[in-house]
Amino acid sequence: MKPIALSGHSRSITQIKYNRDGDLLFTVAKDAEPSVWFSHNGERVGSYAGHNGTVWCIDIRHDSKMMITGSADNSCMLWDVQTGDKISALETKSAVRTCGWSYSGNQIFYSTDKAMGQISELFLYTLADINKPDGGRAEPYLRIPSEESKITSAIWGPLDETIITGHANGCLMQWDAKTGEMKRKIRPHRDVVADIQLSADRSHFITASKDNFSMLFDIYNLSVLKTYKTERPVNSATISPVRDHVILGGGEDAMTVTQSSGKVGKFHAQFWHKIFQEEIGGVKGHFGPINTLAFHPNGKQYCSGGEDGYVRLHNFDDSYFEFHFEVGSMAE
């Protein structure tokens, strides 16, 4: 499995996302310019100029016509994917940490950081309000304060009825997307919930946390389905759409590793069996912690973005699809 290394960002990668068809890969980093690439060969298609600080998050609408980005320059921007034009910019009072399109593509959310005297908040808008030149003046139809702990990751729930947020204190919360009422709250992790990603059928989701654990949850009642225990902080986790596999990525923070050796920092991507909770393999390559992971919608490729500023595309060999896990085989 020979990777394609994409070198288009000058600083650490913060998030990567495929569009729904999987032909395009979108990347954001601490260098303020989101980029888009062809996923089959890693060719760079273009970039989106407009932010003035680290871009923390990105999400693409289901028809690949529009996307949203959230940045440390205190803004969330709506873009035309094809032309690269900025449609509107929503100004905020602190950095935008997470953002996401609803399944219908008619609403968006973004969350802001607890900083500069501001509390962390979740804002919900309709596309009709922001999809115009003066959309930056639009008011959110719902505003949910999170006074207890900063929101660090978030996804839409089933039928766009809920939003599930991960927090800096390890909590997961489920909010009603119409009233803003908190429906459920659990604390499965002991440290920052760095990433939340949905399964292909949207029935469950996986979390990644700095407490060295990754967990699989039911999306309706937030019950824990599976637990994956590692020896290093987990920054990102993603679920295969075609096989019972999950990939976990992370590694010791650069400040805690005295020498930049892959063995010391544990910077490889770990493959785990989703059902049997056993590690089944790993892929090395990054020279620093893996910050973000994504599976291609067809399950034949995955992508990782690291602190080293590289995005690595991995196309699976036939042997990956021929591999069958035998219970107990890895325990030896």
Side-chain angles (χ1 to χ4, degrees), residues 122-249:
L122 193 65
F123 296 83
L124 284 79
Y125 290 81
T126 61
L127 177 60
D129 286 343
I130 62 171
N131 188 18
K132 48 193 176 186
D134 63 345
R137 296 203 204 100
E139 289 294 319
Y141 70 83
L142 189 61
R143 208 170 154 169
I144 304 172
S146 175
E147 296 181 34
E148 184 183 330
S149 180
K150 183 176 93 170
I151 298 169
T152 51
S153 49
I155 54 168
W156 283 90
L159 304 173
D160 301 342
E161 291 174 349
T162 56
I163 290 177
I164 295 155
T165 55
H167 295 256
N169 63 358
C171 282
L172 286 177
M173 300 184 192
Q174 187 183 57
W175 307 90
D176 188 302
K178 290 187 174 65
T179 66
E181 176 194 356
M182 187 197 295
K183 300 177 79 172
R184 284 183 181 82
K185 176 186 171 185
I186 58 171
R187 194 180 177 194
H189 292 289
R190 298 188 305 276
D191 207 337
V192 177
V193 181
D195 191 21
I196 301 178
Q197 292 198 28
L198 275 168
S199 63
D201 64 2
R202 306 178 87 85
S203 67
H204 53 285
F205 64 90
I206 194 167
T207 58
S209 174
K210 304 277 189 186
D211 66 1
N212 299 9
F213 281 86
S214 179
M215 295 183 186
L216 207 66
F217 293 86
D218 181 280
I219 199 163
Y220 295 97
N221 58 21
L222 301 192
S223 60
V224 179
L225 304 175
K226 301 290 174 185
T227 302
Y228 314 99
K229 184 180 187 298
T230 72
E231 318 81 52
R232 74 273 176 86
V234 188
N235 294 333
S236 189
T238 185
I239 305 170
S240 169
V242 293
R243 303 211 66 185
D244 286 329
H245 296 167
V246 298
I247 309 178
L248 313 183

